[in-house]
Amino acid sequence: MDLPLIYAPEVADAKARGLPIVALESTIITHGMPYPENVEAARAVEAEVRAAGAVPATIALLDGMIHIGLTEAELEALGHAENVMKVSRADFAACLAQHRTGATTVAATMIAAHMAEIAVFATGGIGGVHRGAETSFDISADLKELARTPVTVVAAGAKAILDLPKTLEVLETEGVPVITFGQDDFPAFWSRSSGLPSPLRMDTAEEIAAAHAMRTGLGLGGGQLVANPVPSEYEIPREEMIPAIEQALTEAEAQRIAAKEVTPFLLSRIFDLTEGRSLATNIQLVLSNARLAAAIARALSQPG
Ligand code: PSU
Ligand code: MN
């Protein structure tokens, strides 16, 4: 079977010319931010990738096809569509076969990017091990995907709604390199530091590209997680986020939120509880990740 891939014209052109490409996810648009800020943010992130010398490819599943790059109209429609599936590895094929609209999580975006031979992907935060996972078993499929699919994912670390020490433990067990950019501490999304040391540190996009190429050359399989701390001017200190996080977690438990709904529920409650402050930081950190991802993609496309 031919893969059901559709390339946006800009991405098809970039592939034909061998230009660096950065994949972008769509769950952040449909389940991670409110409309219309989500669409504005998605456009701004695409523009940032272009300004940094690469071509953006926002990925989504539309009407039975894997879209690598969305047109203006597709992005706008996705931004306020209803009943959009939040697609991971488990429901990727079912979403396509049923011709449903699916937003791709980090895991699903990695799968699609790899099919399209795109090696670098920028997002905000990855899914991880949820607090209480020792009883709920709620561990994001993003972690296993990082272990099996050879895409370098640039994120701002993981949110403190998760159990960060357990998330790092699982990544280590799964053989995923966790590389923090430019500092020793693993970042915690809105905050530059989680208080946990990062397993690896690199200070240039070229080093990260070389590590990606080395993994490919060695046949190790799997991707890399690059943790890029939010720029300090947009940081929200951890102590300021803790009350909103605690309240969102308490509400999720009281309302028995489970499975795929957990992360979107927590994200949306935290946006409300911080009155949009967390959203502004969220947008800035994705822009910063887009710039770093573009630099890595450019370094990878340079011979030698
Ligand atoms: N974490 C964030 N922002 C997000 C997500 C996670 O800080 O938008 C989204 C991503 O698409 C991620 C998904 O892949 O949630 C993880 O969902 P789950 O925890 O259900 O695996
Ligand atoms: Mn989960």
Side-chain angles (χ1 to χ4, degrees), residues 149-225:
T149 301
V151 172
T152 286
V153 179
V154 182
K159 291 203 163 106
I161 56 173
L162 301 171
D163 187 320
L164 298 182
K166 287 196 185 73
T167 299
L168 289 176
E169 287 293 348
V170 169
L171 287 166
E172 188 199 345
T173 303
E174 294 287 342
V176 178
V178 176
I179 303 163
T180 295
F181 186 66
Q183 69 178 34
D184 295 328
D185 257 34
F186 184 68
F189 202 80
W190 301 286
S191 324
R192 286 176 64 80
S193 176
S194 63
L196 302 166
S198 174
L200 295 164
R201 168 185 175 156
M202 292 186 190
D203 292 336
T204 66
E206 287 71 23
E207 284 176 280
I208 298 167
H212 180 107
M214 184 62 76
R215 278 185 77 81
T216 308
L218 294 173
L220 289 181
Q224 308 191 106
L225 176 61

Side-chain angles (χ1 to χ4, degrees), residues 1 3-5 7 15 23-26 57-61 65-68 86-96 103-121 140-153 222-223 260:
M1 144 184 141
L3 291 171
L5 293 168
Y7 292 92
K15 280 188 73 76
L24 300 166
E25 65 154 305
S26 45
T58 302
I59 290 174
L61 309 186
M65 299 296 287
I66 306 166
H67 285 247
I68 310 294
K86 175 185 157 191
V87 176
S88 190
R89 173 172 282 269
D91 34 25
F92 196 104
C95 177
L96 290 170
T104 51
T105 58
V106 168
T109 306
M110 290 179 75
I111 293 170
H114 183 50
M115 286 175 184
E117 297 174 322
I118 299 172
V120 184
F121 159 28
S140 176
D142 292 351
L143 302 184
K144 283 251 184 223
E145 204 60 48
L146 279 160
R148 72 196 285 176
T149 301
V151 172
T152 286
V153 179
K260 287 169 117 49

